Amino acid sequence: MDFALTEEQTAIFDMAHAFGQDNIAPHARDWEKQGTIPKELWPQIAELGFGGLYVSEDTGGSGLTRLDATLVFEALSMACPSVAAFLSIHNMCAKMIDTFGSDELKQRVMPKILSMETVLSYCLTEPGSGSDAAALKTRATRTNEGYTLNGTKAFISGGGYSDAYVVMVRTGEDGPKGISTVYVEDGTPGLSFGGLEDKMGWRSQPTAQVQFDDCKISANNLVGQEGHGFKYAMAGLDGGRLNISACSLGAAQTALAMTLQYMAERKAFGKSIDQFQALQFRLADMEIELQAARTFLRHAAWKLDTGAPDATKFCAMAKRFVTETGSKVVNQCLQLHGGYGYLADYGIEKLVRDLRVHEILEGTNEIMRLIVARQLLAEQ
């Protein structure tokens, strides 16, 4: 088994890392204070091919593997996990449209999606349906012209900011088989947004409710087939779980690097604190756990790329393990900074706040455990 990255994969990581350090890291704290990411950043990212990472080359995308994509998100999250995670959401939506959308829909919307003139948001969660996503109530009623949407989506990254929304709606009976996916462009009459949420982390990402009040869309904005939307949504989540894990990994690795530098400079009892054996043990444990998380993540990505029958189980396991490892590591890094870690100037407290939500979204880590347990029991 070869664990080494290819030359091309190393180049992908290096390109993403360099872009992040030059164009994102210097501004991350300011964007957090402003509560937004400048729209002009996205076309710059798209020039690298990151607007359609695993969109097929036939459609104009980069056609990368899921493993390749985790390298991009790990590298970019070393600059800011909030920005990197938002790019993951856009790519998840782009892949859904590329895989399931009609030729007419793809020809109409994909060019601007790939150039990131059109930034996408993913709308699944509702105020009353989180982990039980199949209980969603937002309804799309068929009309002569297309569909009329009514309902509310909650916790939407890019709500009121994005240019289009990939929305899971109910077109039929209760349960998963009654759900479809539609494409709703910003500015569509009947589409509106709640106030911006005041969040613990990911503060540079505008987050708001997305509301539909007799919102009328064309029948051509249906993605794929009616009644298949829940399957489409779940297919996107396996890759999303890998991406968000990569965002935890990159941010935690950066926190460890910052902590090593701080400990080399910080003096106590006549020597730098990196010379105390008890603290060295903590550094070693963090590095061991991050390397284990990286290996696990790449193995899960390989499973998804090769279509392994247990890929969903491995994506769930990796998501649970890597995101909790990331949170644990950044929290330990804050502790090793002492009081300085609690100050915004040192950048550690932002990472603690940003990574906490990774254990909740893309399926909570409790749901990840449920997926794993069910598959274990089914194998008996």
Side-chain angles (χ1 to χ4, degrees):
M1 187 177 291
D2 185 0
F3 289 96
L5 298 180
T6 65
E7 286 186 21
E8 181 182 1
Q9 288 171 327
T10 301
I12 289 169
F13 181 91
D14 290 345
M15 178 172 65
H17 184 263
F19 180 89
Q21 295 305 306
D22 291 344
N23 299 283
I24 299 174
H27 311 293
R29 283 185 59 204
D30 288 338
W31 294 346
E32 179 177 69
K33 290 176 184 175
Q34 295 161 13
T36 193
I37 303 165
K39 276 286 187 75
E40 55 267 26
L41 176 73
W42 302 119
Q44 296 175 44
I45 287 179
E47 287 177 8
L48 303 178
F50 295 170
L53 286 166
Y54 24 80
V55 170
S56 62
E57 292 179 290
D58 289 344
T59 306
S62 297
L64 298 183
T65 67
R66 291 292 183 166
L67 176 54
D68 296 336
T70 64
L71 302 176
V72 171
F73 293 113
E74 181 183 348
L76 290 177
S77 66
M78 291 177 168
C80 177
S82 175
V83 174
F86 194 82
L87 180 65
S88 169
I89 294 165
H90 171 88
N91 272 276
M92 179 165 60
C93 294
K95 175 63 174 174
M96 288 175 68
I97 295 168
D98 179 43
T99 303
F100 304 113
S102 66
D103 289 341
E104 185 277 332
L105 179 64
K106 288 194 282 188
Q107 289 168 10
R108 175 159 50 94
V109 304
M110 286 303 290
K112 288 190 175 182
I113 289 171
L114 295 174
S115 68
M116 295 195 75
E117 291 174 72
T118 297
V119 175
L120 300 176
S121 283
Y122 177 88
C123 300
L124 175 63
T125 300
E126 297 185 358
S129 65
S131 293
D132 185 12
L136 66 86
K137 296 188 182 303
T138 296
R139 181 161 288 278
T141 305
R142 194 71 193 254
T143 66
N144 291 335
E145 295 76 29
Y147 296 92
T148 299
L149 278 57
N150 283 283
T152 300
K153 297 293 180 177
F155 306 118
I156 303 305
S157 292
Y161 169 91
S162 292
D163 304 293
Y165 300 85
V166 175
V167 189
M168 273 47 75
V169 294
R170 187 161 301 285
T171 51
E173 62 193 49
D174 290 344
K177 294 182 180 178
I179 295 171
S180 301
T181 300
V182 295
Y183 182 85
V184 183
E185 292 162 301
D186 187 39
T188 302
L191 172 65
S192 62
F193 309 97
L196 290 177
E197 304 289 2
D198 188 6
K199 308 188 301 293
M200 173 182 174
W202 275 23
R203 295 182 67 87
S204 63
Q205 281 189 35
T207 301
Q209 288 193 345
V210 177
Q211 300 160 347
F212 306 96
D213 299 290
D214 289 333
C215 178
K216 293 176 171 57
I217 61 170
S218 164
N220 292 332
N221 279 25
L222 176 70
V223 178
Q225 297 176 266
E226 272 198 16
H228 289 238
F230 192 71
K231 180 173 66 176
Y232 301 162
M234 294 302 103
L237 284 177
D238 275 347
R241 287 163 184 164
L242 297 178
N243 294 349
I244 209 66
S245 299
C247 290
S248 284
L249 181 62
Q253 196 72 62
T254 289
L256 179 55
M258 293 163 64
T259 302
L260 284 166
Q261 181 178 351
Y262 171 81
M263 291 175 68
E265 297 167 356
R266 175 76 165 133
K267 299 288 195 299
F269 305 104
K271 57 184 177 181
S272 61
I273 63 173
D274 63 359
Q275 297 305 303
F276 291 95
Q277 190 178 65
L279 302 187
Q280 290 176 351
F281 287 171
R282 292 170 75 170
L283 291 171
D285 284 342
M286 287 191 286
E287 175 66 6
I288 291 165
E289 289 169 6
L290 286 177
Q291 293 299 344
R294 182 171 287 108
T295 301
F296 200 170
L297 173 60
R298 292 180 181 175
H299 184 55
W302 173 79
K303 288 265 190 184
L304 191 58
D305 283 330
T306 56
D310 56 357
T312 292
K313 172 185 169 184
F314 270 77
C315 289
M317 290 194 295
K319 198 267 183 180
R320 201 292 294 169
F321 182 78
V322 180
T323 59
E324 291 183 14
T325 296
S327 292
K328 179 181 174 182
V329 166
V330 295
N331 192 52
Q332 285 291 311
C333 287
L334 189 152
Q335 187 71 19
L336 289 169
H337 274 75
Y340 292 105
Y342 209 65
L343 303 181
D345 288 348
Y346 283 74
I348 296 292
E349 61 85 32
K350 176 183 181 297
L351 297 179
V352 173
R353 290 185 289 103
D354 280 347
L355 295 201
R356 183 59 184 85
V357 75
H358 295 190
E359 298 175 52
I360 297 172
L361 47 78
E362 306 285 7
T364 66
N365 282 7
E366 287 72 26
I367 292 294
M368 299 305 99
R369 290 171 169 91
L370 189 61
I371 291 169
V372 174
R374 282 178 175 172
Q375 293 208 14
L376 280 174
L377 294 170
E379 291 162 6
Q380 293 299 311

